[in-house]
Amino acid sequence: MNIEQHIIDLELALIKPEVRQSKGELNNLLHDDFIEISQSGCTYGKAEALEDVPQSVQAYEASDFNVRLISKGVAQIRYKTRSYNPETAVEKHALRSSLWKYENERWQMIFHQGTICT
């Protein structure tokens, strides 16, 4: 498997409800220096992400992946998501970007940003 496909697979894992609800899985996939700028504009790190593991998570559909290697051991992925929350009947579309860092023989997400779009 090439690096680009591996990064896509890791990103897809992170949007699966069963992974998003697992502190162990999140701990393995998020770098200790992880930072996220959420769709609402809030910033938080790995500790907050692990503290606030949701009990229920909406499903995401992802498309239009673009992966590029920025430097040795750093990759960026950009893509679009569509999410639907059945509890509120709200559908959202977002542009997303993540940075993945290769360290200690594994890739981990070190940065993520999601921006709502039409």
Side-chain angles (χ1 to χ4, degrees):
M1 178 183 318
N2 65 32
I3 292 172
E4 289 84 0
Q5 186 59 53
H6 185 62
I7 297 298
I8 291 170
D9 291 345
L10 290 170
E11 194 78 38
L12 287 171
L14 272 171
I15 63 173
K16 290 181 180 177
E18 61 271 20
V19 173
R20 294 175 61 87
Q21 294 172 315
S22 169
K23 283 186 182 183
E25 293 283 341
L26 289 175
N27 188 52
N28 286 332
L29 290 169
L30 300 179
H31 192 277
D32 287 343
D33 293 330
F34 172 77
I35 297 287
E36 177 167 353
I37 301 172
S38 69
Q39 293 179 18
S40 62
C42 297
T43 302
Y44 57 90
K46 183 176 182 176
E48 292 89 358
L50 294 176
E51 279 177 24
D52 194 26
V53 173
Q55 296 304 306
S56 65
V57 178
Q58 58 196 8
Y60 287 91
E61 294 174 10
S63 63
D64 298 334
F65 293 99
N66 182 288
V67 178
R68 66 184 179 138
L69 296 177
I70 298 206
S71 65
K72 184 176 180 178
V74 178
Q76 179 190 41
I77 183 170
R78 292 175 290 133
Y79 60 103
K80 297 176 184 176
T81 58
R82 176 192 165 274
S83 62
Y84 180 76
N85 185 331
E87 295 172 8
T88 61
V90 172
E91 180 176 290
K92 292 182 184 177
H93 295 262
L95 297 175
R96 298 183 177 275
S97 178
S98 301
L99 294 176
W100 289 82
K101 184 175 182 181
Y102 188 77
E103 191 174 83
N104 299 322
E105 299 186 28
R106 66 180 173 168
W107 287 94
Q108 291 183 299
M109 183 185 284
I110 194 163
F111 176 81
H112 180 78
Q113 180 169 1
T115 303
I116 296 290
C117 64
T118 55

